[in-house]
Amino acid sequence: MPDKNERPVVRPGMGPGRGGGPMGPMNKEKPKNASGTLKRLLKYIGKSKYLFLSLLIIMLFTTLLSLLAPALQGVAIDTITLKEGDLSIDFKKFILMLFCLGMIYIFSSVFTYLQGICSAKLSQYTVKTMRRDLFGKIERLPISYIDRHSHGDIMSRMTNDVENVSNTISQSVMSLFSGALTILGTIVIMIYYSPLLTLVSFITLPLTLFLTSFMAKHMRKYFLRQQILLGEINGQAEEQITGFKTVVSYGKEKDAVWDFSKKSDELRTYGVKARVMGSIMGPIMNFIGNMGFILIAAAGGLLAWRGAITVGVIQAFLNYSKQFTRPINELANQYTQIMTALAGAERVFAVLDHPDEIDEGKIALENVKGDIEFKNIFFSYVKGEQVLKNFNLSVKHGQKIAIVGATGSGKTTLVNLLTRFYDADEGSITIDGADIKDISKNSLRQAIAVVLQDTVLFSDTIMENIKYGRQDASNDEAVRAAEISNANIFIERMKNGYDTVLDGNGGKLSQGQRQLISIARAVLADPKILILDEATSSVDTRTEMQIQEAMISLMKNRTSLIIAHRLSTIRDADLIVVIDNGEVAEMGNHEELLAKKGCYYMLYQNQFAGIKT
């Protein structure tokens, strides 16, 4: 339990998300209509229509057998009669009823077993479809959505929330159908036996419906909040694991535990409230059901005393009354699970309902030269906080343009805008004279390769990681790309060479080695436009020289935009653009900018002469 007097810390990993955009607070989804969520869930279930139909048929037979058993029990009891003080029994009929009951129970067990198998298959097929749709949706979401939502929370929707839906489908949702069939059949039989006793059994029904509706309204918010907090905790855990070295380096282990414990305590509080309120439903429904049972027994006894019905009918009616209330009680006992699943389903549907990344472009780039022009660009991640202000830049094909400036000046934002991860608020960006908004995003991004400071490698072989740049490339082409980028030097020294399997984003490789593989990937992609975003800022000077050699080969005959903090990497650039506070402050080559003794001069002196700026 954290000390309430301690102050929380900012967790590593918070701040700018992918693409340089600010990661804002997670959205707190508002509860939606439970019935609407259930309908959407049923549509997913209905996609496995043959399996669903088979399950319904099995449930129909199971329900019919369960409805037939009490009637046969009543007939068996009525074979025993009392005449003039003596008991008599129709043994033939009695034995026949017992045999029929035995067969009913055997077939009922078989159908229940088959129902369990079908329910399990249906739940797995359903969540498979849901996970596939969710994953596909994530691939179509705007970059801004990923930037502004905790990755752990998105993962929680894919795992925890969908798993809760799976458990509910295999148990509770099927209880809805089975219960509905049981209630309908029971009502028909009860009316057939005694309309008066049927009315008596319905006395408690309004109270049951009222309490169920009342408690559902007040309980659902706890279950939704519980799922949201679970997503936040997953996001927090992901941040702590990703930034573990930073946490330890700054001695913030206790603060990290405090922060996590605080969120865990809130989850525990809402979890306890949700579970306690959910567990209340079962006892309340059982109590109401028992009261109804007493009323039926009393009324039935009175009718039997008057000779209106037999004892066997009373016994059968009591069983039917239990069957009538059992589905309601079962759903009440499963209410916690149902609410958790609905809350999870809402969170999944919230992602599925988010608009896809808009791609209104129709033009496909062909024979790209690489002329780029930024015209009067204004942009802000957060309304009212301008990142770029009236930015203008013209780049001719084959030019090597360096973009420098202080942190937060807007350098990486240019990458986000050129690749259309974000769209400018005002102004236009053109490639070979065509506005990028008119170019299809797939075509646009195929023409551009981006080498970032933070490399991304996948859990696969080095060969496949290089071929990620162009999936149809041959192994020989991938090896050639590695040779051009100088990555082959360390790859060929490894035991399995290009077949070495990487894991954990290439955690066993150095930062420089990961960067060389990333450059090899870009070489293989053979783009006409190349963006190097702080590609050497995280490596030592010697490794930087190796990467620079690789980049020189990569930049030949390509339009290149180099975003750099280390000014030594961009001395030979055709043009250096200095950005200050979202605007172009200076432009020129290295010697010209030093001679001006402006912003670039101060940045240069700060790096090489130690002058404070």
Side-chain angles (χ1 to χ4, degrees):
M1 181 76 178
D3 186 349
K4 293 182 178 179
N5 293 323
E6 293 185 34
R7 297 182 64 185
V9 301
V10 177
R11 302 188 301 275
M14 294 295 284
R18 173 183 168 194
M23 179 183 288
M26 276 199 318
N27 294 334
K28 299 295 189 294
E29 294 90 346
K30 296 181 179 179
K32 297 180 181 179
N33 186 280
S35 60
T37 302
L38 184 58
K39 288 178 182 178
R40 292 187 67 173
L41 202 53
L42 292 178
K43 288 182 180 179
Y44 267 98
I45 295 173
K47 290 182 179 181
S48 303
K49 55 184 178 181
Y50 295 113
L51 185 58
F52 183 55
L53 183 60
S54 299
L55 183 57
L56 285 179
I57 293 173
I58 292 172
M59 285 193 300
L60 179 61
F61 280 111
T62 305
T63 302
L64 290 175
L65 291 175
S66 67
L67 293 174
L68 186 58
L72 294 181
Q73 291 172 9
V75 174
I77 290 174
D78 284 339
T79 59
I80 304 173
T81 58
L82 180 63
K83 294 181 179 179
E84 298 178 358
D86 295 327
L87 289 173
S88 63
I89 183 170
D90 185 344
F91 280 102
K92 184 177 180 180
K93 190 174 183 180
F94 182 74
I95 296 300
L96 178 62
M97 291 301 104
L98 291 182
F99 174 78
C100 291
L101 281 171
M103 295 303 295
I104 284 175
Y105 292 142
I106 290 173
F107 280 108
S108 180
S109 298
V110 172
F111 282 124
T112 301
Y113 172 72
L114 294 175
Q115 181 176 321
I117 293 177
C118 288
S119 294
K121 287 186 176 181
L122 182 62
S123 68
Q124 291 305 311
Y125 289 157
T126 301
V127 298
K128 171 191 171 184
T129 304
M130 185 175 287
R131 279 202 178 103
R132 182 196 63 200
D133 290 351
L134 182 58
F135 189 83
K137 180 67 179 187
I138 291 173
E139 295 297 312
R140 300 192 306 273
L141 286 172
I143 298 295
S144 57
Y145 183 93
I146 305 298
D147 283 347
R148 289 180 170 84
H149 286 74
S150 162
H151 297 175
D153 178 65
I154 295 175
M155 287 297 297
S156 181
R157 300 178 195 228
M158 178 74 73
T159 54
N160 295 325
D161 292 334
V162 175
E163 190 61 31
N164 285 329
V165 171
S166 174
N167 293 334
T168 300
I169 291 173
S170 62
Q171 299 175 32
S172 304
V173 172
M174 292 305 101
S175 295
L176 286 173
F177 289 98
S178 179
L181 292 172
T182 299
I183 290 173
L184 181 61
T186 300
I187 290 175
V188 172
I189 295 175
M190 287 170 67
I191 292 175
Y192 170 78
Y193 273 121
S194 174
L196 182 58
L197 281 182
T198 303
L199 288 176
V200 172
S201 65
F202 284 175
I203 291 176
T204 59
L205 185 59
L207 180 60
T208 300
L209 296 176
F210 171 76
L211 287 177
T212 302
S213 176
F214 177 80
M215 296 190 70
K217 180 179 178 181
H218 289 81
M219 290 164 58
R220 195 162 158 274
K221 60 183 179 182
Y222 293 109
F223 289 99
L224 182 61
R225 180 59 181 162
Q226 179 185 359
Q227 293 305 108
I228 290 175
L229 286 171
L230 185 60
E232 290 182 357
I233 280 183
N234 284 341
Q236 196 168 330
E238 183 213 17
E239 291 167 0
Q240 293 296 332
I241 294 171
T242 303
F244 182 70
K245 291 182 180 178
T246 303
V247 174
V248 174
S249 299
Y250 284 92
K252 295 294 184 180
E253 295 94 331
K254 291 184 179 179
D255 292 330
V257 171
W258 182 94
D259 201 16
F260 188 83
S261 297
K262 181 181 178 182
K263 189 66 67 176
S264 296
D265 287 342
E266 187 179 0
L267 176 60
R268 180 197 62 190
T269 299
Y270 275 92
V272 169
K273 288 180 179 179
R275 298 290 173 177
V276 168
M277 294 194 71
S279 64
I280 291 174
M281 290 288 288
I284 290 178
M285 294 301 105
N286 287 332
F287 174 77
I288 295 174
N290 289 333
M291 291 299 101
F293 188 81
I294 292 173
L295 290 174
I296 293 170
L302 181 60
L303 291 174
W305 179 68
R306 293 181 175 179
I309 57 176
T310 65
V311 175
V313 171
I314 296 175
Q315 187 275 340
F317 208 96
L318 289 173
N319 280 335
Y320 284 124
S321 69
K322 285 184 178 180
Q323 285 195 358
F324 178 77
T325 58
R326 187 180 68 241
I328 299 176
N329 291 339
E330 286 179 351
L331 291 176
N333 289 325
Q334 295 173 1
Y335 197 78
T336 298
Q337 181 177 325
I338 294 173
M339 286 296 101
T340 301
L342 286 178
E346 284 182 351
R347 285 163 44 78
V348 171
F349 293 147
V351 178
L352 293 175
D353 290 340
H354 194 280
D356 288 351
E357 183 180 30
I358 299 174
D359 187 6
E360 68 279 19
K362 303 298 182 183
I363 299 175
L365 286 176
E366 296 179 357
N367 302 319
V368 180
K369 293 172 57 181
D371 292 328
I372 306 171
E373 187 165 5
F374 295 83
K375 299 179 183 177
N376 308 119
I377 299 297
F378 289 83
F379 176 75
S380 60
Y381 291 106
V382 180
K383 189 175 181 179
E385 299 179 13
Q386 290 289 334
V387 178
L388 293 178
K389 308 168 187 176
N390 198 29
F391 181 85
N392 290 274
L393 177 63
S394 181
V395 183
K396 299 300 180 183
H397 66 275
Q399 275 191 315
K400 184 165 62 175
I401 307 297
I403 301 173
V404 300
T407 299
S409 60
K411 304 185 299 296
T412 300
T413 298
L414 294 177
V415 179
N416 292 337
L417 296 181
L418 183 58
T419 54
R420 289 202 68 192
F421 291 163
Y422 291 81
D423 284 326
D425 299 332
E426 296 181 35
S428 65
I429 303 172
T430 62
I431 293 180
D432 295 346
D435 193 314
I436 61 173
K437 290 185 178 180
D438 298 326
I439 302 171
S440 72
K441 288 184 177 180
N442 185 54
S443 176
L444 172 68
R445 291 166 184 170
Q446 284 183 344
I448 302 172
V450 183
V451 180
L452 300 171
Q453 173 185 353
D454 298 322
T455 58
V456 176
L457 300 179
F458 300 96
S459 299
D460 207 332
T461 63
I462 291 177
M463 176 65 72
E464 291 303 318
N465 269 280
I466 295 175
K467 290 171 69 175
Y468 199 82
R470 183 160 58 87
Q471 293 295 324
D472 61 350
S474 66
N475 288 353
D476 290 340
E477 289 176 311
V479 171
R480 177 58 184 156
E483 291 172 350
I484 294 174
S485 67
N486 294 330
N488 67 310
I489 297 174
F490 75 86
I491 295 175
E492 292 172 357
R493 291 201 303 262
M494 302 178 79
K495 181 179 179 180
N496 297 318
Y498 289 89
D499 293 327
T500 301
V501 177
L502 304 179
D503 58 348
N505 197 26
K508 294 180 181 179
L509 301 179
S510 70
Q511 178 64 32
Q513 289 172 332
R514 292 198 295 268
Q515 195 65 277
L516 289 174
I517 292 177
S518 179
I519 292 175
R521 180 190 294 166
V523 171
L524 188 61
D526 192 23
K528 295 301 181 182
I529 300 172
L530 176 66
I531 299 174
L532 302 172
D533 189 356
E534 310 285 3
T536 63
S537 62
S538 299
V539 298
D540 58 83
T541 305
R542 183 178 179 181
T543 304
E544 180 185 354
M545 293 176 63
Q546 292 179 324
I547 294 176
Q548 282 184 7
E549 290 179 10
M551 290 194 304
I552 290 173
S553 300
L554 178 60
M555 288 186 289
K556 285 181 180 178
N557 303 318
R558 292 184 175 91
T559 302
S560 303
L561 299 179
I562 309 167
I563 297 173
H565 275 303
R566 292 187 181 181
L567 303 186
S568 59
T569 63
I570 47 95
R571 281 186 170 187
D572 60 342
D574 298 321
L575 180 68
I576 299 173
V577 180
V578 184
I579 301 179
D580 184 36
N581 196 27
E583 300 177 284
V584 176
E586 295 175 334
M587 295 176 65
N589 60 35
H590 177 69
E591 290 75 16
E592 291 172 346
L593 293 177
L594 284 180
K596 288 183 179 180
K597 293 190 176 183
C599 294
Y600 182 81
Y601 176 82
M602 297 302 291
L603 288 171
Y604 187 83
Q605 291 298 315
N606 184 49
Q607 286 191 22
F608 297 102
I611 297 176
K612 294 183 178 180
T613 58

PDB file of all heavy atoms in Angstrom, residues 33 37 86 100 155 183 226 242 270 282 301 326 406 409 414 555 561 588 604:
ATOM      1  N   ASN A  33     -24.920   1.080 -24.322  1.00  0.00           N
ATOM      2  CA  ASN A  33     -26.095   0.268 -24.001  1.00  0.00           C
ATOM      3  C   ASN A  33     -25.731  -1.208 -23.978  1.00  0.00           C
ATOM      4  O   ASN A  33     -25.184  -1.742 -24.937  1.00  0.00           O
ATOM      5  CB  ASN A  33     -27.178   0.541 -25.053  1.00  0.00           C
ATOM      6  CG  ASN A  33     -28.473  -0.162 -24.712  1.00  0.00           C
ATOM      7  OD1 ASN A  33     -28.616  -1.352 -24.960  1.00  0.00           O
ATOM      8  ND2 ASN A  33     -29.402   0.578 -24.147  1.00  0.00           N
ATOM      9  N   THR A  37     -24.594  -3.832 -27.044  1.00  0.00           N
ATOM     10  CA  THR A  37     -23.345  -4.596 -27.049  1.00  0.00           C
ATOM     11  C   THR A  37     -23.621  -6.078 -27.201  1.00  0.00           C
ATOM     12  O   THR A  37     -22.929  -6.790 -27.944  1.00  0.00           O
ATOM     13  CB  THR A  37     -22.564  -4.345 -25.737  1.00  0.00           C
ATOM     14  OG1 THR A  37     -22.311  -2.950 -25.601  1.00  0.00           O
ATOM     15  CG2 THR A  37     -21.243  -5.093 -25.742  1.00  0.00           C
ATOM     16  N   ASP A  86     -56.074 -47.935   1.894  1.00  0.00           N
ATOM     17  CA  ASP A  86     -55.014 -48.831   1.440  1.00  0.00           C
ATOM     18  C   ASP A  86     -54.305 -48.238   0.217  1.00  0.00           C
ATOM     19  O   ASP A  86     -54.933 -47.658  -0.664  1.00  0.00           O
ATOM     20  CB  ASP A  86     -55.590 -50.200   1.062  1.00  0.00           C
ATOM     21  CG  ASP A  86     -56.174 -50.917   2.268  1.00  0.00           C
ATOM     22  OD1 ASP A  86     -55.622 -50.719   3.376  1.00  0.00           O
ATOM     23  OD2 ASP A  86     -57.166 -51.637   2.088  1.00  0.00           O
ATOM     24  N   CYS A 100     -38.442 -44.989 -18.726  1.00  0.00           N
ATOM     25  CA  CYS A 100     -38.431 -43.778 -19.575  1.00  0.00           C
ATOM     26  C   CYS A 100     -37.588 -42.672 -18.944  1.00  0.00           C
ATOM     27  O   CYS A 100     -36.834 -41.971 -19.633  1.00  0.00           O
ATOM     28  CB  CYS A 100     -39.854 -43.301 -19.822  1.00  0.00           C
ATOM     29  SG  CYS A 100     -40.832 -44.398 -20.873  1.00  0.00           S
ATOM     30  N   MET A 155      -3.265  -3.586 -25.965  1.00  0.00           N
ATOM     31  CA  MET A 155      -2.982  -5.015 -25.822  1.00  0.00           C
ATOM     32  C   MET A 155      -3.986  -5.679 -24.893  1.00  0.00           C
ATOM     33  O   MET A 155      -4.390  -6.823 -25.103  1.00  0.00           O
ATOM     34  CB  MET A 155      -1.565  -5.211 -25.283  1.00  0.00           C
ATOM     35  CG  MET A 155      -0.467  -4.909 -26.293  1.00  0.00           C
ATOM     36  SD  MET A 155      -0.531  -6.033 -27.707  1.00  0.00           S
ATOM     37  CE  MET A 155      -0.229  -7.591 -26.893  1.00  0.00           C
ATOM     38  N   ILE A 183     -37.727 -21.544 -20.193  1.00  0.00           N
ATOM     39  CA  ILE A 183     -38.798 -20.712 -19.633  1.00  0.00           C
ATOM     40  C   ILE A 183     -40.051 -20.797 -20.497  1.00  0.00           C
ATOM     41  O   ILE A 183     -41.170 -20.947 -19.989  1.00  0.00           O
ATOM     42  CB  ILE A 183     -38.310 -19.248 -19.491  1.00  0.00           C
ATOM     43  CG1 ILE A 183     -37.266 -19.156 -18.374  1.00  0.00           C
ATOM     44  CG2 ILE A 183     -39.488 -18.319 -19.183  1.00  0.00           C
ATOM     45  CD1 ILE A 183     -36.616 -17.794 -18.268  1.00  0.00           C
ATOM     46  N   GLN A 226     -13.504  -1.330 -14.010  1.00  0.00           N
ATOM     47  CA  GLN A 226     -12.546  -2.391 -13.698  1.00  0.00           C
ATOM     48  C   GLN A 226     -11.736  -2.762 -14.934  1.00  0.00           C
ATOM     49  O   GLN A 226     -10.514  -2.908 -14.859  1.00  0.00           O
ATOM     50  CB  GLN A 226     -13.300  -3.612 -13.163  1.00  0.00           C
ATOM     51  CG  GLN A 226     -12.409  -4.796 -12.832  1.00  0.00           C
ATOM     52  CD  GLN A 226     -13.213  -6.021 -12.420  1.00  0.00           C
ATOM     53  OE1 GLN A 226     -14.438  -5.974 -12.366  1.00  0.00           O
ATOM     54  NE2 GLN A 226     -12.538  -7.103 -12.152  1.00  0.00           N
ATOM     55  N   THR A 242       9.685  -1.758 -20.439  1.00  0.00           N
ATOM     56  CA  THR A 242      10.426  -1.131 -21.541  1.00  0.00           C
ATOM     57  C   THR A 242      11.494  -0.177 -21.019  1.00  0.00           C
ATOM     58  O   THR A 242      12.609  -0.135 -21.525  1.00  0.00           O
ATOM     59  CB  THR A 242       9.461  -0.370 -22.468  1.00  0.00           C
ATOM     60  OG1 THR A 242       8.464  -1.273 -22.951  1.00  0.00           O
ATOM     61  CG2 THR A 242      10.210   0.243 -23.641  1.00  0.00           C
ATOM     62  N   TYR A 270     -12.319  -1.248  -7.120  1.00  0.00           N
ATOM     63  CA  TYR A 270     -13.419  -1.431  -8.072  1.00  0.00           C
ATOM     64  C   TYR A 270     -13.696  -2.913  -8.303  1.00  0.00           C
ATOM     65  O   TYR A 270     -14.847  -3.304  -8.518  1.00  0.00           O
ATOM     66  CB  TYR A 270     -13.102  -0.737  -9.396  1.00  0.00           C
ATOM     67  CG  TYR A 270     -13.458   0.721  -9.388  1.00  0.00           C
ATOM     68  CD1 TYR A 270     -12.525   1.682  -9.014  1.00  0.00           C
ATOM     69  CD2 TYR A 270     -14.732   1.159  -9.739  1.00  0.00           C
ATOM     70  CE1 TYR A 270     -12.837   3.029  -8.989  1.00  0.00           C
ATOM     71  CE2 TYR A 270     -15.064   2.504  -9.729  1.00  0.00           C
ATOM     72  CZ  TYR A 270     -14.111   3.444  -9.348  1.00  0.00           C
ATOM     73  OH  TYR A 270     -14.436   4.770  -9.323  1.00  0.00           O
ATOM     74  N   GLY A 282     -27.096 -13.543  -6.906  1.00  0.00           N
ATOM     75  CA  GLY A 282     -27.454 -14.942  -6.723  1.00  0.00           C
ATOM     76  C   GLY A 282     -28.313 -15.196  -5.491  1.00  0.00           C
ATOM     77  O   GLY A 282     -29.415 -15.772  -5.592  1.00  0.00           O
ATOM     78  N   GLY A 301     -51.261 -27.516  -2.423  1.00  0.00           N
ATOM     79  CA  GLY A 301     -51.844 -28.368  -1.381  1.00  0.00           C
ATOM     80  C   GLY A 301     -53.316 -28.097  -1.200  1.00  0.00           C
ATOM     81  O   GLY A 301     -54.118 -29.029  -1.029  1.00  0.00           O
ATOM     82  N   ARG A 326     -34.776 -21.416 -12.423  1.00  0.00           N
ATOM     83  CA  ARG A 326     -33.365 -21.794 -12.494  1.00  0.00           C
ATOM     84  C   ARG A 326     -32.574 -20.973 -13.507  1.00  0.00           C
ATOM     85  O   ARG A 326     -31.467 -20.498 -13.191  1.00  0.00           O
ATOM     86  CB  ARG A 326     -33.228 -23.284 -12.810  1.00  0.00           C
ATOM     87  CG  ARG A 326     -31.778 -23.767 -12.721  1.00  0.00           C
ATOM     88  CD  ARG A 326     -31.636 -25.250 -13.025  1.00  0.00           C
ATOM     89  NE  ARG A 326     -31.935 -25.521 -14.429  1.00  0.00           N
ATOM     90  CZ  ARG A 326     -32.920 -26.311 -14.826  1.00  0.00           C
ATOM     91  NH1 ARG A 326     -33.718 -26.898 -13.934  1.00  0.00           N
ATOM     92  NH2 ARG A 326     -33.140 -26.529 -16.122  1.00  0.00           N
ATOM     93  N   ALA A 406      16.868  22.675 -32.317  1.00  0.00           N
ATOM     94  CA  ALA A 406      16.757  22.215 -30.936  1.00  0.00           C
ATOM     95  C   ALA A 406      15.655  21.167 -30.809  1.00  0.00           C
ATOM     96  O   ALA A 406      14.774  21.055 -31.669  1.00  0.00           O
ATOM     97  CB  ALA A 406      16.476  23.404 -30.012  1.00  0.00           C
ATOM     98  N   SER A 409      11.732  21.452 -31.890  1.00  0.00           N
ATOM     99  CA  SER A 409      11.576  22.534 -32.870  1.00  0.00           C
ATOM    100  C   SER A 409      10.664  22.145 -34.031  1.00  0.00           C
ATOM    101  O   SER A 409      10.195  23.009 -34.759  1.00  0.00           O
ATOM    102  CB  SER A 409      12.946  22.961 -33.403  1.00  0.00           C
ATOM    103  OG  SER A 409      13.600  21.864 -34.023  1.00  0.00           O
ATOM    104  N   LEU A 414       8.154  16.954 -39.514  1.00  0.00           N
ATOM    105  CA  LEU A 414       8.231  16.980 -40.979  1.00  0.00           C
ATOM    106  C   LEU A 414       8.124  15.564 -41.550  1.00  0.00           C
ATOM    107  O   LEU A 414       7.496  15.345 -42.592  1.00  0.00           O
ATOM    108  CB  LEU A 414       9.546  17.625 -41.421  1.00  0.00           C
ATOM    109  CG  LEU A 414       9.718  19.121 -41.100  1.00  0.00           C
ATOM    110  CD1 LEU A 414      11.100  19.592 -41.522  1.00  0.00           C
ATOM    111  CD2 LEU A 414       8.640  19.953 -41.793  1.00  0.00           C
ATOM    112  N   MET A 555      22.348   6.818 -49.826  1.00  0.00           N
ATOM    113  CA  MET A 555      21.810   8.087 -50.315  1.00  0.00           C
ATOM    114  C   MET A 555      22.141   8.389 -51.771  1.00  0.00           C
ATOM    115  O   MET A 555      21.650   9.376 -52.321  1.00  0.00           O
ATOM    116  CB  MET A 555      22.318   9.235 -49.422  1.00  0.00           C
ATOM    117  CG  MET A 555      21.681   9.258 -48.034  1.00  0.00           C
ATOM    118  SD  MET A 555      22.156  10.703 -47.049  1.00  0.00           S
ATOM    119  CE  MET A 555      23.874  10.333 -46.682  1.00  0.00           C
ATOM    120  N   LEU A 561      16.468  13.405 -46.848  1.00  0.00           N
ATOM    121  CA  LEU A 561      16.246  14.350 -45.754  1.00  0.00           C
ATOM    122  C   LEU A 561      16.903  13.772 -44.511  1.00  0.00           C
ATOM    123  O   LEU A 561      16.557  12.680 -44.065  1.00  0.00           O
ATOM    124  CB  LEU A 561      14.750  14.563 -45.497  1.00  0.00           C
ATOM    125  CG  LEU A 561      13.921  15.141 -46.649  1.00  0.00           C
ATOM    126  CD1 LEU A 561      12.458  15.268 -46.233  1.00  0.00           C
ATOM    127  CD2 LEU A 561      14.462  16.490 -47.080  1.00  0.00           C
ATOM    128  N   GLY A 588      21.352  27.210 -45.769  1.00  0.00           N
ATOM    129  CA  GLY A 588      22.625  27.388 -46.439  1.00  0.00           C
ATOM    130  C   GLY A 588      23.489  26.162 -46.263  1.00  0.00           C
ATOM    131  O   GLY A 588      23.085  25.188 -45.624  1.00  0.00           O
ATOM    132  N   TYR A 604      26.658  24.655 -33.452  1.00  0.00           N
ATOM    133  CA  TYR A 604      27.957  24.074 -33.770  1.00  0.00           C
ATOM    134  C   TYR A 604      28.964  24.328 -32.659  1.00  0.00           C
ATOM    135  O   TYR A 604      29.697  23.426 -32.240  1.00  0.00           O
ATOM    136  CB  TYR A 604      28.459  24.660 -35.098  1.00  0.00           C
ATOM    137  CG  TYR A 604      29.711  24.008 -35.613  1.00  0.00           C
ATOM    138  CD1 TYR A 604      29.649  22.815 -36.338  1.00  0.00           C
ATOM    139  CD2 TYR A 604      30.961  24.582 -35.385  1.00  0.00           C
ATOM    140  CE1 TYR A 604      30.786  22.200 -36.809  1.00  0.00           C
ATOM    141  CE2 TYR A 604      32.114  23.983 -35.856  1.00  0.00           C
ATOM    142  CZ  TYR A 604      32.032  22.792 -36.562  1.00  0.00           C
ATOM    143  OH  TYR A 604      33.159  22.187 -37.022  1.00  0.00           O
TER     144      TYR A 604
END
